[in-house]
Amino acid sequence: MMKLNGLGVSPGIGIGRALVVTRGMHHLRFRVPERRVAAEIERLAAAREQSRVQIRHIKERIAATVGDEHAYLFDAQLLMLDDPMLVDRAATIVREERLNAESALQRALDEVSALFDRMDDPYLRERKGDVADVVGRLSVNLTSGGDPLELFRDVEGPIVLVADELSPSLIAQLDFQRLAGFVTDAGSWTYHTAILARSIHVPAVAGLRNASGAIPPGALVAVDGSSGEVLVDPPPDVVADLEARSRKRRAYERSLDEYGTLPAVTADGTPIRIEANVELPEEAARARQRGAEGIGLYRSEFILAGARAAGLDEEAQYLVYRRLLEAMQGGRVTVRTFDVSESQLGVAPPGEPLRAPLGLRGLRLSLSFDEVFQAQLRALLRAAAHGPLRIMFPFVTGVEELRAARAAVTQAADALRGRGVAVPHVPIGIMIEVPSAALTIDLLAAEADFVSIGTNDLIQYTLAVDRTDDRVSRMYEPLHPAILRVLRQVAKGAGRRGVPVSVCGEMAADPVLLPLLTGLGLREFSMTPASIPVAKQVVRGIRLSDTVRLASRALKAATAADVEKVLAESMATVKR
Ligand code: PEP
Ligand code: MG
């Protein structure tokens, strides 16, 4: 048994067979069912034939342009295609170990490379590059043969996705019922994939550095998303023990469900609003069951996951927003306009990194793509006829952006009225997730109908710590004195203007931090649905008079560790 330790980012225990995904969907490694073996070998043969045709073409071109003497290299490549140690060896691996064609080919390459490494002759050693070149071509031809998601559907049993990085859009396309867990080399608690894992209840461990290299495809993997432990090929008694713990945990969660139905009112009588963060419309019903009064953050960019251009369509979006409102049955729904980078919107030249955090993203991206923005705003304003909808803009840095966004809403409303559509009043709010917005909260609150603090980004930009980089995750401190001050300032600044302020970052979902947040003056929280029952339990046990004192002590602490001490001491005295 191999044991790996990372950051538990989505609680619970999941056990399944490893499906290894690296470089997006480019490298998929898993064990195929018996009935697929012949088809996998067939795919290898087809890739070999396609590669043969391509290499012959290249050889002819080189012979015609540079001369025959340079074309011989490709003769060697053609011979390699038929070498029993390569494609044929891969076919044997598929047959014997039931690995998918891509991983079998990679294994064959590793074996050949090891042989080359042992050779004394430097000329021969260098031929390793040629073999890798041929295998690269074979792999491309293998993958271009079909949609990798088709393959996923064919893998048997519960799956643990083991990846270097997992994009939320990849996960959004999969059948969640089949997923037992996620294990990633990169990532941390506020990584979007971790947030999504929590909302679809899939245990996850991130920041493992090299799990995708160390865990063999098809291995039995147990993921403990609470402790951050990942066990590879655990013996049956360990599996039985984990399963028992998992059942206990689920029973405990069910026992908390009753709190979901109770009102969130503090012991001294102040109502606290608890809403849900939702990434997928199908989660809205569950959010309501868990006791959410509304949806405090719908991350609309998830519509684009997998759908891309189709997700930009006004009608398609209208149906999603309407569905959310209907699922909440009169509960308020706050939709955040797309918070993506150019590449995620599909408007960037290929090759741009997945997330360009400080480039054209969020509201500034929407403001630069008028057509996209107008379609989204029209869809939202139309959906507002079906319930209490609010529009929220992400990544606002100052008043000018808010004004421009408001003007865009007016323009969309005018366009709809021109089409004979009645447009109801829709509150317009902003995320406070950039320090410049927090520092100008008085100015922004004067022009916004509501604000919501996105602590995930606010922490990373205030502390200059990348939220997705596991190497600095220890420095990502929600309890840093700077964060407490900024939260206090936003709560006060918005409060003075009578503008409602909520917290929708992951800090809101932490039951240990809730008393402190109420003491800092915050009264509205939006969190992943699974956290709602515990949050309500906490709220019902606190007295604001106590939490205000707690906050004032915490605000005097010099370090995050000191703040933690203050919180720990208060646990004994503040009734929770
Ligand atoms: C945040 O930044 O806190 C937030 C809620 O938005 P996201 O996690 O989507 O960046
Ligand atoms: Mg954010």
Side-chain angles (χ1 to χ4, degrees):
M1 175 172 77
M2 172 166 63
K3 200 188 270 188
L4 306 170
N5 280 299
L7 308 162
V9 294
S10 177
I13 291 167
I15 302 172
R17 296 270 164 198
L19 191 155
V20 185
V21 193
T22 44
R23 301 209 292 123
M25 284 294 271
H26 296 299
H27 285 169
L28 269 186
R29 296 189 287 137
F30 54 93
R31 211 171 268 170
V32 295
E34 189 65 51
R35 62 189 151 76
R36 248 212 96 93
V37 166
E40 284 303 284
I41 293 177
E42 191 48 47
R43 285 205 310 127
L44 274 173
R48 164 150 63 186
E49 286 326 302
Q50 204 179 341
S51 305
R52 197 189 314 281
V53 172
Q54 291 165 349
I55 297 172
R56 278 197 188 130
H57 255 95
I58 298 170
K59 187 186 145 186
E60 280 161 20
R61 249 193 78 214
I62 296 289
T65 51
V66 229
D68 272 339
E69 66 278 24
H70 294 284
Y72 80 98
L73 253 180
F74 296 96
D75 279 326
Q77 290 209 358
L78 286 167
L79 286 176
M80 285 173 199
L81 278 181
D82 289 319
D83 193 298
M85 290 191 56
L86 219 53
V87 180
D88 294 340
R89 170 70 187 138
T92 306
I93 295 173
V94 171
R95 210 174 295 115
E96 288 176 357
E97 296 180 38
R98 291 192 8 212
L99 285 184
N100 65 316
E102 287 84 352
S103 1
L105 194 59
Q106 186 58 44
R107 265 275 297 287
L109 172 65
D110 292 344
E111 289 173 8
V112 173
S113 303
L115 273 182
F116 275 106
D117 285 342
R118 271 183 255 126
M119 286 176 183
D120 290 332
D121 183 338
Y123 172 80
L124 281 179
R125 258 205 322 264
E126 271 170 27
R127 300 286 67 76
K128 201 169 93 175
D130 292 330
V131 185
D133 191 16
V134 170
V135 169
R137 174 176 304 283
L138 282 162
S139 303
V140 168
N141 289 333
L142 267 179
T143 6
S144 60
D147 178 357
L149 290 175
E150 283 297 327
L151 297 174
F152 178 83
R153 276 176 210 119
D154 251 6
V155 184
E156 284 167 332
I159 291 168
V160 170
L161 275 184
V162 178
D164 45 1
E165 267 197 56
L166 267 181
S167 71
S169 63
L170 167 69
I171 295 169
Q173 294 173 72
L174 304 177
D175 172 5
F176 305 147
Q177 306 303 330
R178 308 272 318 283
L179 297 170
F182 302 145
V183 166
T184 52
D185 298 346
S188 60
W189 184 257
T190 61
Y191 188 44
H192 264 187
T193 306
I195 292 174
L196 184 60
R198 292 197 288 279
S199 82
I200 60 174
H201 296 267
V202 175
V205 175
L208 282 156
R209 305 285 168 81
N210 186 31
S212 65
I215 300 178
L220 188 69
V221 180
V223 184
D224 185 339
S226 312
S227 68
E229 203 166 77
V230 175
L231 304 178
V232 183
D233 285 326
D237 58 320
V238 174
V239 171
D241 187 47
L242 284 169
E243 279 169 346
R245 265 175 47 205
S246 168
R247 276 195 299 276
K248 239 193 214 160
R249 189 192 153 79
R250 277 201 297 273
Y252 168 69
E253 275 173 0
R254 273 196 302 275
S255 76
L256 288 173
D257 276 355
E258 61 171 302
Y259 285 101
T261 58
L262 299 173
V265 181
T266 62
D268 49 359
T270 302
I272 302 289
R273 193 176 172 93
I274 307 267
E275 298 188 314
N277 288 357
V278 168
E279 287 76 44
L280 307 166
E282 51 269 37
E283 293 298 306
R286 175 143 59 177
R288 222 183 138 264
Q289 279 163 17
R290 291 277 169 145
E293 270 189 76
I295 292 174
L297 168 65
Y298 170 59
R299 291 180 163 98
S300 70
E301 60 272 17
F302 276 78
I303 299 176
L304 305 175
R308 287 285 162 105
L312 298 176
D313 179 59
E314 176 188 323
E315 191 62 24
Q317 288 185 59
Y318 160 73
L319 292 173
V320 172
Y321 306 142
R322 181 178 165 171
R323 185 175 162 193
L324 287 170
L325 285 159
E326 285 169 354
M328 293 315 285
Q329 303 182 1
R332 190 172 82 185
V333 174
T334 304
V335 176
R336 175 175 82 182
T337 57
F338 299 141
D339 183 14
V340 285
S341 65
E342 290 163 277
S343 62
Q344 289 163 306
L345 197 60
V347 294
E352 207 236 348
L354 199 63
R355 241 171 181 243
L358 299 181
L360 215 46
R361 72 164 263 201
L363 180 58
R364 29 177 112 140
L365 181 64
S366 293
L367 288 171
S368 347
F369 289 90
D370 196 47
E371 236 174 86
V372 172
F373 199 25
Q374 284 298 311
Q376 182 166 34
L377 293 172
R378 286 194 305 270
L380 285 163
L381 294 173
R382 280 173 59 200
H386 300 277
L389 181 105
R390 307 196 301 175
I391 297 177
M392 179 160 73
F393 299 115
F395 221 64
V396 173
T397 55
V399 167
E400 276 174 345
E401 278 173 344
L402 172 57
R403 287 183 188 158
R406 273 198 178 276
V409 176
T410 306
Q411 187 190 334
D414 288 346
L416 285 177
R417 287 193 193 101
R419 274 165 35 185
V421 179
V423 180
H425 169 73
V426 176
I428 304 293
I430 54 172
M431 301 269 301
I432 303 291
E433 51 184 347
V434 177
S436 64
L439 289 165
T440 52
I441 185 64
D442 53 330
L443 306 174
L444 286 164
E447 303 191 23
D449 300 320
F450 66 95
V451 302
S452 187
I453 309 175
T455 52
N456 305 341
D457 280 317
L458 189 56
I459 295 170
Q460 81 164 336
Y461 296 123
T462 303
L463 301 183
V465 175
D466 187 331
R467 67 192 256 191
T468 63
D469 190 336
D470 58 288
R471 294 164 305 174
V472 288
S473 61
R474 275 220 309 236
M475 296 173 69
Y476 186 92
E477 295 176 317
L479 295 180
H480 191 290
I483 303 305
L484 302 196
R485 288 175 190 206
V486 81
L487 291 174
R488 176 80 187 129
Q489 179 172 345
V490 174
K492 259 194 173 166
R496 266 194 215 113
R497 296 266 174 191
V499 170
V501 50
S502 72
V503 182
C504 65
E506 294 305 301
M507 257 183 111
D510 187 336
V512 176
L513 304 187
L514 261 182
L516 173 64
L517 294 176
T518 61
L520 289 170
L522 295 152
R523 299 287 178 268
E524 290 186 19
F525 303 94
S526 189
M527 62 194 69
T528 190
S531 299
I532 290 175
V534 190
K536 284 197 174 182
Q537 187 193 19
V538 170
V539 163
R540 294 173 64 82
I542 55 174
R543 295 183 167 277
L544 286 187
S545 46
D546 293 334
T547 64
V548 167
R549 268 201 303 278
L550 165 70
S552 95
R553 278 211 309 283
L555 280 165
K556 290 187 193 107
T559 66
D562 290 346
V563 177
E564 251 173 65
K565 255 187 239 150
V566 171
L567 286 188
E569 281 160 20
S570 78
M571 297 280 185
T573 49
V574 175
K575 196 171 143 260
R576 291 184 46 227

